[in-house]
């Protein structure tokens, strides 16, 4: 089931409510609903989620990206039925984001990478075999990322088309994904990350912690 930001085709009232909350906060956003998860492409990093900010934004230099986690909802979210509640914010540098997209988009590639690594082949041989079979050339760093538990958790949680759209618009920049809930519905917000800094905005009131180089809250 899919919905655009301009056309109503969703029949579930509570889902409609969640989508309308998102539209009110991001008027021009692209919205897709897949398997009970709402995916939202916003574009530039946004400070507008209808959050009444009380704390100061934290900015950390982390070109390798990582994950904001340990969110604690402030008091005002409990009296606001429209509150967006974050539970993880992922920053992926371009090389990792590109590896994720290509692997998700190429049937059989993920399984081959895992098999070649399990066979304990040297990295040059693994890179060559992948290039010959799929025409895709990875670096050792990208392969280590693909083989990590971080990758598996992200692999299952993204919408491929939405992620690909974000990556295309990012050019050589990275991708940020905010994993949240809106009215009880899981909502993933996709942004272009065009900086070497990460920020907890607009979620600073939730007091999250940042984990450099860790790409899934499940691994914290």
């Amino acid at each position: 089931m899919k919905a655009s930001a301009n056309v109503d085709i969703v029949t579930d009232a509570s889902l409609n409510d969640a989508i309308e909350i998102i539209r009110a906060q991001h008027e021009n956003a692209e919205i897709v609903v897949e398997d009970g998860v709402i995916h939202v492409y916003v574009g530039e990093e946004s400070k507008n989620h209808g959050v009444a900010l009380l704390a100061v934004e934290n900015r950390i230099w982390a070109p390798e990206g990582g994950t904001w986690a340990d969110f604690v909802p402030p008091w005002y979210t409990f009296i606001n039925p429209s509150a967006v509640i974050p539970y993880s914010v992922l920053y992926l540098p371009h090389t990792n984001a590109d590896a994720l997209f290509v692997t998700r988009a190429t049937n059989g590639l993920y399984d081959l990478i895992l098999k070649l690594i399990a066979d304990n082949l040297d990295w040059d041989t693994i890179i060559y075999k992948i290039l010959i079979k799929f025409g895709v050339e990875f670096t050792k760093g990208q392969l280590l990322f693909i083989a990590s538990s971080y990758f598996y958790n992200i692999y299952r949680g993204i919408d491929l088309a939405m992620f690909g759209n974000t990556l295309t618009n990012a050019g050589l920049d990275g991708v940020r994904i905010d994993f949240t809930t809106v009215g009880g519905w899981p909502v993933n917000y996709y942004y272009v990350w065009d900086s070497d800094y990460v920020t907890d905005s607009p979620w600073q009131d939730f007091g999250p912690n940042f984990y450099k180089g860790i790409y899934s809250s499940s691994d914290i």
Side-chain angles (χ1 to χ4, degrees):
M1 172 168 44
K2 296 189 177 183
S4 73
N6 298 312
V7 181
D8 286 318
I9 60 173
V10 181
T11 58
D12 186 289
S14 61
L15 181 56
N16 265 329
D17 290 344
I19 291 174
E20 290 307 316
I21 290 170
I22 296 166
R23 285 187 177 138
Q25 296 163 357
H26 305 284
E27 182 178 353
N28 297 316
E30 176 188 351
I31 301 174
V32 172
V33 182
E34 291 286 356
D35 299 324
V37 179
I38 306 171
H39 300 271
V40 184
Y41 172 66
V42 182
E44 298 298 324
E45 287 190 76
S46 173
K47 300 182 186 302
N48 175 26
H49 283 283
V51 180
L53 300 177
L54 303 176
V56 177
E57 172 188 10
N58 289 306
R59 283 171 55 84
I60 299 173
W61 188 79
E64 71 272 45
T67 298
W68 289 94
D70 309 325
F71 292 83
V72 179
W75 64 269
Y76 57 75
T77 60
F78 295 100
I79 59 174
N80 179 8
S82 299
V84 182
I85 308 297
Y87 57 90
S88 178
V89 172
L90 168 67
Y91 280 88
L92 275 180
H94 179 80
T95 54
N96 286 356
D98 187 58
L100 172 60
F101 177 76
V102 171
T103 305
R104 267 290 305 269
T106 308
N107 289 334
L109 178 54
Y110 186 37
D111 291 337
L112 176 64
I113 292 171
L114 296 182
K115 180 183 183 303
L116 293 175
I117 292 175
D119 288 343
N120 202 30
L121 301 176
D122 65 84
W123 292 109
D124 288 341
T125 300
I126 292 173
I127 291 169
Y128 177 74
K129 285 181 174 290
I130 294 169
L131 179 62
I132 291 301
K133 184 171 180 60
F134 289 103
V136 176
E137 186 171 6
F138 288 117
T139 66
K140 176 182 175 181
Q142 287 175 312
L143 291 174
L144 287 171
F145 169 64
I146 293 168
S148 69
S149 58
Y150 310 138
F151 182 87
Y152 179 71
N153 289 323
I154 305 167
Y155 187 95
R156 297 180 302 165
I158 65 167
D159 177 82
L160 181 62
M162 187 74 72
F163 186 82
N165 183 31
T166 308
L167 186 60
T168 297
N169 286 295
L172 295 177
D173 292 323
V175 173
R176 166 180 167 167
I177 306 176
D178 292 19
F179 298 93
T180 75
T181 60
V182 177
W185 288 89
V187 182
N188 299 344
Y189 293 91
Y190 298 77
Y191 304 91
V192 172
W193 174 37
D194 59 356
S195 172
D196 287 334
Y197 287 84
V198 300
T199 173
D200 61 355
S201 176
W203 315 118
Q204 55 261 42
D205 285 1
F206 293 75
N209 296 311
F210 185 68
Y211 298 86
K212 284 187 178 182
I214 295 179
Y215 305 110
S216 170
S217 59
S218 299
D219 297 282
I220 295 171

